[in-house]
Amino acid sequence: MSGFGWKLHGDGRHLKPGEVVKPDERLTWPRTIGLGAQHVVSMIGACFVAPVLMGLNPSLGLMASGVATLLFLVMTRGRVPSYLGSSLSFVGVAAVIRSQGGGSAELTGALFVVGLALAAVGVVVRFLGARVVHAVLPPVVTGAVVMLIGFNLAPVAAGTYWPQDQWTALATMLFTGLALVVLRGFLSRIAIFLGLVFGYVLSWILDLTLGKIHSADGSGKVVDHWRLDLSSVKEAAWFGLPDMHLPAFSGSAVVVALPVLIALVAENTGHIKAVGEMTGDPLDDELGVAIAADGAATMLSTVAGGPATTTYAENIGVMAATRVYSTAAYTCAAFFALLFGLCPKFGAFVTAIPGGVLGGITVILYGMIGLLGAQIWIRNKVDFSQPLNLIPAAAGVIVGIGGVSLKFADNFELSGIALGTLLVLVGYHALRWLSKAAGTPQGALLDAGTTRYDDSAE
């Protein structure tokens, strides 16, 4: 054993075709540090976008992602190579909480509770096994919840960001879409980040050539304003801790945020399975620990005022491309993120992203989140000819996207994501139980998470 517990793979310099570096191995430290830097570049776009869209401090989000990743690696004993960045799943939740009068403290308080619930789920899965996840959250449920979380954000993109500069939004959307489709390899992994850079530069050029724009600003008022306002960047210090705040707890905010728990469990499950397949080391026995670690990392981040965290697909893509699964590289990436987070000027530069640019990015990003739900259905071959699958998913998605509300008292109501998720989850299991009680032919819930309800038809 060498270094901090990682074995040196071969000579640490050369890899034969098809050869992989396992999680408990590493290359030479200069190469490992370089791989860590590459992981930071791949995740930094989304890791900054998420807190910006939620109205939180992006520098704190970046710093928190480094701390969260280190905690995750320790809790999983270095067996699961993953980077924990700022979760985009809560962007819609943030918009709803703020529209109800909540601030950043109430938002992070709600995210803290979700992190606590996620950690509790991880403990349960650790003792009962991965099968419990598939039984409680079959693909028809997880797909519907992910879909309504994404599409519920459509009014934010269309009503808040896009009107600030429609032509920059359109150009950014087209460039980002082109980058996602045309680029290959590593560049395709950072296409969203490249779209942000393109829109940023375009806004700067338009300000220089055309002057101020007369449109809605961030508050919604139609005024003359610069597309790109860098005044906060000039005032920010080069080095220092980002602004932090303690969470505050609101029952209504927590109710809005809790449904995202389903998406996080599904997301963590998918990532663990993907990493296990790539490394050749099945990690189902680590699923509970990984989920609990993500929950603990979210609690640690939000208690200081940062965003919730989640495992990042961007970094899994980097692993797939390089075939280097060393957790040493992720440790280096975490320390890089900590250093970047200590530069307030860098954070202010990112926070200054023009609204029109966010409009173009979010149109694609929110749609992609929503369609991931459809992808879950397709991959698991969910049969919507079966009413048991169709009815709860249809009702939940429409209620969630349409913002339907159900008032229980003057100070308590369910609506949007929360109500839609409740309808899908409770509706599916209630109808399944009633179907079984009524003697409707149905198959067993399989470990893979797929369900068949008419074996006789086969």
Side-chain angles (χ1 to χ4, degrees):
M1 302 294 284
S2 59
F4 291 94
W6 295 282
K7 297 178 294 185
L8 189 66
H9 180 89
D11 63 2
R13 294 180 174 84
H14 304 96
L15 290 176
K16 298 177 182 178
E19 197 173 9
V20 302
V21 178
K22 297 180 179 179
D24 63 344
E25 298 177 330
R26 65 170 178 86
L27 300 177
T28 60
W29 280 115
R31 287 172 172 77
T32 299
I33 292 171
L35 286 166
Q38 181 175 250
H39 276 296
V40 171
V41 173
S42 71
M43 68 84 189
I44 199 168
C47 199
F48 263 110
V49 170
V52 167
L53 295 179
M54 291 188 284
L56 299 175
N57 189 318
S59 292
L60 179 58
L62 186 58
M63 180 184 290
S65 76
V67 176
T69 300
L70 291 175
L71 176 63
F72 182 89
L73 293 174
V74 170
M75 290 185 66
T76 58
R77 305 181 306 284
R79 190 180 170 195
V80 183
S82 287
Y83 192 93
L84 265 62
S86 303
S87 175
L88 282 159
S89 298
F90 291 95
V91 173
V93 167
V96 173
I97 291 175
R98 292 187 183 279
S99 69
Q100 294 176 347
S104 295
E106 287 75 20
L107 170 60
T108 51
L111 302 190
F112 178 90
V113 174
V114 175
L116 178 62
L118 185 63
V121 170
V123 173
V124 172
V125 173
R126 176 65 176 171
F127 284 100
L128 299 183
R131 187 182 183 91
V132 68
V133 175
H134 304 312
V136 178
L137 300 175
V140 65
V141 173
T142 54
V145 173
V146 172
M147 177 173 285
L148 66 89
I149 286 173
F151 291 159
N152 183 260
L153 300 170
V156 178
T160 301
Y161 297 128
W162 191 280
Q164 293 183 42
D165 187 355
Q166 60 176 1
W167 296 113
T168 297
L170 179 62
T172 302
M173 181 193 72
L174 293 175
F175 177 89
T176 305
L178 185 66
L180 285 166
V181 173
V182 174
L183 297 180
R184 293 290 181 269
F186 177 69
L187 289 178
S188 68
R189 297 288 176 182
I190 59 171
I192 298 293
F193 179 70
L194 294 177
L196 284 173
V197 173
F198 169 83
Y200 210 108
V201 174
L202 177 61
S203 297
W204 175 67
I205 293 174
L206 291 177
D207 277 346
L208 288 178
T209 56
L210 302 179
K212 292 185 177 180
I213 185 174
H214 184 74
S215 67
D217 60 8
S219 66
K221 295 180 180 179
V222 178
V223 295
D224 290 330
H225 62 94
W226 295 109
R227 298 168 181 82
L228 178 61
D229 184 2
L230 297 176
S231 57
S232 61
V233 179
K234 297 178 182 178
E235 299 170 359
W238 280 103
F239 299 102
L241 287 172
D243 294 333
M244 302 181 186
H245 66 262
L246 291 173
F249 299 97
S250 164
S252 60
V254 171
V255 169
V256 170
L258 272 177
V260 182
L261 177 66
I262 296 174
L264 295 181
V265 173
E267 190 172 43
N268 275 277
T269 302
H271 285 194
I272 291 299
K273 287 185 175 295
V275 172
E277 289 177 3
M278 286 192 299
T279 61
D281 178 18
L283 296 171
D284 275 3
D285 60 323
E286 291 290 331
L287 179 59
V289 175
I291 292 175
D294 189 9
T298 290
M299 293 167 65
L300 184 62
S301 174
T302 54
V303 78
T309 62
T310 189
T311 51
Y312 258 29
E314 289 90 339
N315 300 93
I316 292 177
V318 171
M319 282 195 299
T322 62
R323 300 183 70 80
V324 177
Y325 307 117
S326 172
T327 53
Y330 279 102
T331 302
C332 292
F335 282 113
F336 274 124
L338 283 170
L339 291 175
F340 278 126
L342 291 173
C343 181
K345 192 175 287 290
F346 184 48
F349 189 77
V350 175
T351 306
I353 295 172
V357 178
L358 293 176
I361 292 292
T362 53
V363 163
I364 292 178
L365 194 59
Y366 295 168
M368 287 171 63
I369 294 172
L371 290 176
L372 282 176
Q375 187 179 54
I376 291 173
W377 289 338
I378 293 170
R379 286 185 174 179
N380 290 276
K381 300 179 181 179
V382 176
D383 184 4
F384 282 110
S385 68
Q386 296 292 334
L388 181 57
N389 292 331
L390 178 64
I391 302 306
V397 168
I398 291 300
V399 164
I401 296 174
V404 175
S405 61
L406 192 62
K407 190 171 184 179
F408 294 89
D410 291 339
N411 59 352
F412 180 74
E413 70 175 28
L414 289 174
S415 63
I417 296 173
L419 183 57
T421 298
L422 189 64
L423 280 176
V424 176
L425 182 61
V426 176
Y428 172 82
H429 287 288
L431 290 175
R432 184 169 184 269
W433 181 83
L434 290 171
S435 174
K436 185 176 181 180
T440 304
Q442 58 181 331
L445 196 62
L446 303 180
D447 186 59
T450 56
T451 309
R452 293 177 297 173
Y453 291 98
D454 194 1
D455 289 341
S456 62
E458 299 179 3

